[in-house]
Amino acid sequence: MAFIFEKIILLLAINYHSLLAQNTSPVAVLTWNFHKAAQKAWYTLFNEKRSALDAIEESCNFCENNGGECRWEVGLGGCPNENGDTTLDALLMDGVTMNVGAVGAVKDVKNPISIARKVMENTDHTLLVGESVTQFAKQMGFETQSLNTEDSKEKWQKWKENSCQPNYWMNVVPDPANSCGPYTPIKGTDKQEQKVYSPIDNEIHHDTMGVLTLDVNGNVAAGVSTNGLDYKIPGRLGDSPVAGAGTYADATVGAAACTGVGDISLRFLPSYTAVEAMRNGATPAEAAKIAVNRMAKFYPKHSQAVITMNNKGEYGVYCHGFLTFNYSFPYHVANEKLGDATLMYHPCFNTAHLFTNDSRKLIYNYI
């Protein structure tokens, strides 16, 4: 009886929210310069008047199905792991109900955002991980196929021929700086003698597609889809399939999504941090800055970006450490004022780039 009562209260709250928010002007905010995916989100929201969740799924599906349009960082044919396999992560969050569906380390199914939606809508679970996700997807009617392409196979083969450089191992033997392994842990004091190897930290190797949407009924949602890091250790999960890390949404406040080094984002929950900052009065731009700076304080040499949107459709972005695009971060915004999905760039604060003044004292380069 208590469970039924809770369901009734939730339905009443959702209906009340919808009544209050009818005829809302839709908005979509997306990471990166994936223009056709951004157009897909806007068309779904504005022309078709479909839901915030639908817009996320449609835009992510575009990249998942057309990897070349999204730098092969989302979906089929991108980012092989150490074994040469492409695996996928995704998360979808409904900011009205606070329901979440997520999948991680998905093999042989090219649309992880759609599988994540099935987790949210057809199970009581939040996150499914590993090879069993493929079996779940088959039950839900998805077709299976290899996610590897000739290009991804060639990319992996060149990496192997280059002594598996770069990689993500440390404190192991043989030396990961010039060997492919297999590795075993260094024991005792020898661990202190090995130089810590710096893995890839380049935006072209860890693009997460993040999408924040506000639909005509005032519903807020957030989603992410990614292949993760190039040459990651098999079994590795980044921030994308973890609510609060890769993305987060609360229709009473807004939404946020993060892209960058997922292993670091997992330690700070930047998307949740940004949403809570907006709850406490920060503007979307201020909230993004708070979330990014918290990570940059501890990891100044790594790159991160956060996009934000409140439930009024106001948006913000902040970034740190990105080198390409003239030291800026590309993102898309679509709303009625702009008229279409519009590519924008936000200059990044790069603490990794230091220089000296006349007194030879190190100072930050605020690019």
Side-chain angles (χ1 to χ4, degrees), residues 238-240 242-248 256-277 287-306 320:
D239 60 327
S240 293
V242 178
T247 194
Y248 195 76
C258 180
T259 183
V261 184
D263 299 280
I264 292 173
S265 302
L266 277 169
R267 304 166 195 174
F268 294 90
L269 302 180
S271 296
Y272 178 79
T273 297
V275 171
E276 290 305 296
K289 184 175 182 178
I290 289 169
V292 170
N293 281 347
R294 186 171 296 182
M295 295 182 285
K297 176 182 177 181
F298 290 91
Y299 297 96
K301 294 183 179 181
H302 291 274
S303 54
Q304 305 285 349
V306 170
H320 163 266

Side-chain angles (χ1 to χ4, degrees), residues 3-17 96-99:
F3 176 76
I4 295 174
F5 180 74
E6 290 175 359
K7 286 287 187 181
I8 292 172
I9 294 297
L10 178 59
L11 288 172
L12 287 173
I14 293 171
N15 289 333
Y16 179 67
H17 168 80
V96 178
T97 64
M98 303 304 289
N99 288 336

